Amino acid sequence: MENKEHKILLAEDDENLGMLLCEYLQAKGYDTDLTPNGEEAYNSFVAGKYDICIFDVMMPKKDGFTLAKEIRMINSDVPIIFLTAKTMKEDILQGFKVGADDYLSKPFSMEELLLRIEAILRRTSGNTVVQDVYMLGRYKFDTQKQQLIFDDNMDSVIKLTTKESELLKLLCTNANKVLERNLALKTIWVDDNYFNARSMDVYITKLRKHLKDDPSVEIINVHGKGYKLVI
């Protein structure tokens, strides 16, 4: 992977940790901008172009969750990793609900962070596209634009997040067959741990809401196995 093409926005209010992370990522070839709080991070994001964001959750002026919500309003695609000392399930699920792609609890190793970044960038680089458009009943799913279009009506376009698009594409490639949970988790989330499994459940719920206007299209639970997209 050619790291020099990728730019990272890092928001961390712990000055020492922020500098260490920034220097480490720059040493690994990533163009990294460090900001000390949520407000400055938001301003940097609006002014620049970033391939991935890494946000501490507990920050002054604007916390990481609020920052992510605001960024998701202007960009639903950019991957976001949260760094936090919080390990409560509710906090982690909240992070995924506001659009996180990954979540690292402190303390963590810089090598682990690097692996998570590389995994996300591999998934979002879009180097291997097998099919661009899928027809799901009355919906058209454009994987490149990450859009769901109902009845070809461009006024009813649903813009999907990167995670939603990846998961729906995986379901489409396995349409009318069981998509095993572990396969989906390892393909999209890399790790099939408890928190990632709960995150996937959240995204399945979101996809069901997006597809609710055509009853002939369903994502059903297959007990003990995974999910099936029925078209």
Side-chain angles (χ1 to χ4, degrees), residues 201-217:
D201 292 339
V202 169
Y203 280 94
I204 287 288
T205 300
K206 288 182 177 181
L207 289 176
R208 284 179 175 141
K209 288 179 181 177
H210 293 327
L211 296 166
K212 70 181 186 303
D213 289 334
D214 187 347
S216 72
V217 180

Side-chain angles (χ1 to χ4, degrees), residues 187-199:
T187 301
I188 299 174
W189 278 266
V190 182
D191 190 343
D192 59 352
N193 63 40
Y194 169 84
F195 296 117
N196 287 342
R198 290 298 302 275
S199 169

Side-chain angles (χ1 to χ4, degrees), residues 27-46:
K28 294 298 180 181
Y30 291 97
D31 184 0
T32 306
D33 288 345
L34 172 62
T35 56
N37 59 63
E39 278 188 7
E40 288 191 31
Y42 181 80
N43 293 336
S44 293
F45 186 86
V46 171

Side-chain angles (χ1 to χ4, degrees), residues 17-225:
L17 177 58
M19 288 300 297
L20 280 172
L21 288 173
C22 187
E23 290 172 5
Y24 177 78
L25 293 171
Q26 287 175 342
K28 294 298 180 181
Y30 291 97
D31 184 0
T32 306
D33 288 345
L34 172 62
T35 56
N37 59 63
E39 278 188 7
E40 288 191 31
Y42 181 80
N43 293 336
S44 293
F45 186 86
V46 171
K49 181 174 173 57
Y50 295 94
D51 298 292
I52 191 166
C53 298
I54 303 171
F55 298 151
D56 185 29
V57 171
M58 301 299 291
M59 290 189 292
K61 298 187 179 180
K62 188 175 291 180
D63 67 85
F65 290 157
T66 303
L67 174 60
K69 284 180 185 176
E70 293 181 359
I71 281 178
R72 280 287 174 252
M73 291 176 71
I74 58 175
N75 187 317
S76 62
D77 300 334
V78 65
I80 298 174
I81 298 176
F82 281 127
L83 308 177
T84 183
K86 291 187 172 185
T87 54
M88 293 292 290
K89 293 175 187 176
E90 292 79 8
D91 295 318
I92 293 175
L93 291 175
Q94 174 66 17
F96 286 122
K97 284 177 181 176
V98 299
D101 290 81
D102 213 336
Y103 204 107
L104 271 178
S105 297
K106 298 176 182 177
F108 56 86
S109 72
M110 293 192 187
E111 290 79 9
E112 182 180 8
L113 175 61
L114 184 66
L115 289 172
R116 302 281 186 103
I117 291 169
E118 289 174 347
I120 288 172
L121 289 175
R122 276 198 300 273
R123 294 199 305 269
T124 57
S125 291
N127 294 328
T128 55
V129 177
V130 177
Q131 184 173 337
D132 290 342
V133 176
Y134 293 89
M135 298 308 299
L136 312 176
R138 295 167 66 185
Y139 289 94
K140 181 167 73 174
F141 171 37
D142 188 321
T143 64
Q144 290 294 286
K145 294 179 180 178
Q146 296 184 188
Q147 292 178 344
L148 269 176
I149 304 162
F150 187 68
D151 281 345
D152 275 331
N153 181 3
M154 295 308 293
D155 292 329
S156 65
V157 173
I158 299 169
K159 181 66 175 173
L160 302 176
T161 66
T162 298
K163 267 285 196 301
E164 288 170 344
S165 184
E166 289 175 350
L167 184 53
L168 184 55
K169 183 174 180 180
L170 202 55
L171 286 162
C172 287
T173 58
N174 292 272
N176 299 312
K177 296 184 291 186
V178 176
L179 171 62
E180 293 185 7
R181 284 178 65 87
N182 287 350
L183 173 64
L185 285 166
K186 289 180 178 177
T187 301
I188 299 174
W189 278 266
V190 182
D191 190 343
D192 59 352
N193 63 40
Y194 169 84
F195 296 117
N196 287 342
R198 290 298 302 275
S199 169
M200 185 166 72
D201 292 339
V202 169
Y203 280 94
I204 287 288
T205 300
K206 288 182 177 181
L207 289 176
R208 284 179 175 141
K209 288 179 181 177
H210 293 327
L211 296 166
K212 70 181 186 303
D213 289 334
D214 187 347
S216 72
V217 180
E218 279 188 288
I219 301 173
I220 62 173
N221 291 343
V222 181
H223 183 68
K225 292 185 177 180

